[in-house]
Amino acid sequence: MVNGVPFIDFDRTAPSLAKAVLSAIHDVARSGTGARVVRIEPGDLVNASEIARRLGRTRESVRLLIRGTRGPGGFPPPVADLRTRSPVWSWAAVAHWVVANGISQNVGLEQARFIAAANTALSLARHAAPGDLVEALADLQARPSRSTLRNCVAIANEPRGR
């Protein structure tokens, strides 16, 4: 349990991140516990402090990138909590911007894109037939490459349809 949320850590090697995630989801589904995967961590939604951590920069450096007073400008807009002091961004959008603007090439862009898409599919699948999840995630498979999954997979024992 982390902050009252059941979770399972997976560390596995597979031909692609998608295959590693799908096998982890399959293993949870066959565990007989009634648990099911509802989210893959680290997630897509990030605040400025988390952006700084993921980029290996200071919070102030990221604040200047967001404001456009440093870097090329055009930082992706926040996607939620717009009226708060701590808006959140899509990490996939930020990672794309960082790579596209030559700020860093080592931000895990393909992993960020997959996790954002997979979490969207998981959210949608909570209200769909069980087989739809596997089909949705299979459609998200990235280019074949050797990947190691080192992400926390959050689990919830929640009745279907909530």
Side-chain angles (χ1 to χ4, degrees), residues 17-92:
L17 177 62
K19 288 183 188 296
V21 169
L22 285 171
S23 71
I25 290 170
H26 184 259
D27 288 351
V28 170
R30 339 181 284 193
S31 70
T33 64
R36 62 190 166 91
V37 175
V38 296
R39 176 177 65 258
I40 302 164
E41 294 288 336
D44 184 52
L45 297 180
V46 292
N47 61 21
S49 294
E50 180 62 11
I51 293 169
R53 188 190 72 72
R54 291 185 186 190
L55 292 179
R57 291 177 161 250
T58 65
R59 172 72 173 78
E60 178 63 11
S61 172
V62 169
R63 186 184 72 76
L64 295 173
L65 288 172
I66 291 167
R67 286 194 162 188
T69 54
R70 178 177 287 165
F75 196 86
V79 296
D81 297 335
L82 303 178
R83 294 183 180 179
T84 69
R85 290 181 50 125
S86 297
V88 294
W89 286 262
S90 161
W91 174 245

Side-chain angles (χ1 to χ4, degrees), residues 1-16:
M1 299 287 278
V2 173
N3 294 324
V5 177
F7 77 97
I8 299 173
D9 260 336
F10 286 94
D11 185 356
R12 59 184 62 199
T13 299
S16 69

